[in-house]
């Protein structure tokens, strides 16, 4: 069954609003110029709305996303005026957990030699995808404090790993590798120190790997992975890991191919029979209050994110098309300062839109 082509657009906070404005225009261009049957649904949710009337994620909005949307395009959530991030918790974690978006997929592909900061390495050396488990680990907020505020204070955070959760993210990584012609899947853990969870990850990895005999299944300790990602990133094609390690290594990965301004991501639920479900698409960066409102934010991460979104909705080839336009923006320096250009957010977006309009005829 095909996914609904309704896309919820949630700019959120800070630079999220500026970069999603570009993403929205791209989707609108596909709708009007290429006749893609997209329905764009603008959502006024985020810190401004929360501060105005206390709304975070209304139940009817959540139900509409769950039942009638194919994708959500999210900018960023985070605002200094909401220090406890209550709105972000309800909106972002609400969708991530309640829609069971267990696979956080983060491509790390360098689009130009100039974006690779490693000595002696270029774009051809940095091309891998990280599958980060997105619903378990230490992010489930299980734990507690004892004797808080005293010299004997104890703080505990539990690391939750279920057989089901571990197996399905590993399976998603192998399935993706198989579908994209990638030969090697690395599983990163810290099983030499975290023995119980490590043992579960190790067994699940070996067992799932048997179902994908064409893929070479390799284990790497996460600390060694950080070393190799810098020394020899060309070793990696697909990396699967838990929530915490995935969070950390994907920032390192972003630095290998141009930084946060160009790193895209998807959070999806992969059903065992491959039936598509609504997915959440967002640039990896946050709300960046330091540059918000100054037309400095790089919108290219959002352009690449829109590519992933369109691919998810079944528009094959559009991810590659947008990637090539982003590549041209970087090569021709029609981009923001963080990736070597001199343009602002709007002018970078205009370059992308103009190229896309030309291509869509
Ligand atoms: P949040 O609290 O929402 O996570 P943050 O500022 O702590 O926001 P990020 O937004 O992820 O974290 O980014 C850290 C820094 O990287 C920002 O302060 C900004 O200077 C830079 N940065 C992030 N995204 C971009 C972008 N799209 N374009 C240019 N610079 C960016």
């Amino acid at each position: 069954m095909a996914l609904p082509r309704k896309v919820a657009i949630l700019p959120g906070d800070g630079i999220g609003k500026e970069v999603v404005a570009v993403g929205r225009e791209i989707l609108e261009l596909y709708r009007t110029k290429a006749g893609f049957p997209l329905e764009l649904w603008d959502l006024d949710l985020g810190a401004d709305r929360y501060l105005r009337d206390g709304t975070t994620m209304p139940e009817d909005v959540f139900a509409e996303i769950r039942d009638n949307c194919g994708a959500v395009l999210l900018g960023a959530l985070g605002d200094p005026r909401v220090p406890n991030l209550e709105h972000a918790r309800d909106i972002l974690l609400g969708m991530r957990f309640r829609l069971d978006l267990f696979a956080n997929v983060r491509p790390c592909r360098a689009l130009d030699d100039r974006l690779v900061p490693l000595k002696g390495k270029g774009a051809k050396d940095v091309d891998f995808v990280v599958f980060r488990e997105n619903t378990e680990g230490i992010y489930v907020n299980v734990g507690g404090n004892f004797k808080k505020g005293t010299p004997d204070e104890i703080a505990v955070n539990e690391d939750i790993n279920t057989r089901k959760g571990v197996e399905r993210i590993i399976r998603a990584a192998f399935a993706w590798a198989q579908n994209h012609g990638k030969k090697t899947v690395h599983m990163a853990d810290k099983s030499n120190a975290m023995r119980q969870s490590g043992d579960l990850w190790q067994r699940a990895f070996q067992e799932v790997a048997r179902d994908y005999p064409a893929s070479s299944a390799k284990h790497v300790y996460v600390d060694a992975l950080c070393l190799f990602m810098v020394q020899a990133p060309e070793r990696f094609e697909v990396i699967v890991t838990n929530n915490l390690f995935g969070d950390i290594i994907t920032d390192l990965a972003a630095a290998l191919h141009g930084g946060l301004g160009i790193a895209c991501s998807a959070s999806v639920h992969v059903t065992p029979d491959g039936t598509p479900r609504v997915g959440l698409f967002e640039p990896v960066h946050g709300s960046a209050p330091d540059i918000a409102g100054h037309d400095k934010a790089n919108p290219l991460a959002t352009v690449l994110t829109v590519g992933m979104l369109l691919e998810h909705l079944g528009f094959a080839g559009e991810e590659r098309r947008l990637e090539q336009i982003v590549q041209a923006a970087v090569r021709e320096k029609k981009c923001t300062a963080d990736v070597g250009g001199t343009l602002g957010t709007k002018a970078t977006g205009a370059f992308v839109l103009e190229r896309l309009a030309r291509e869509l005829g």
Side-chain angles (χ1 to χ4, degrees), residues 15 77-78 260-261 285-291 296-298 338:
I15 63 168
L77 291 164
L260 286 173
H285 62 74
S287 61
D290 56 329
I291 55 167
K296 281 186 181 163
N298 186 348
D338 58 310

Side-chain angles (χ1 to χ4, degrees), residues 136-150:
E136 299 192 346
I138 62 163
Y139 291 70
V140 297
N141 200 21
V142 173
N145 294 80
F146 184 47
K147 298 184 181 174
K148 193 169 178 177
T150 76

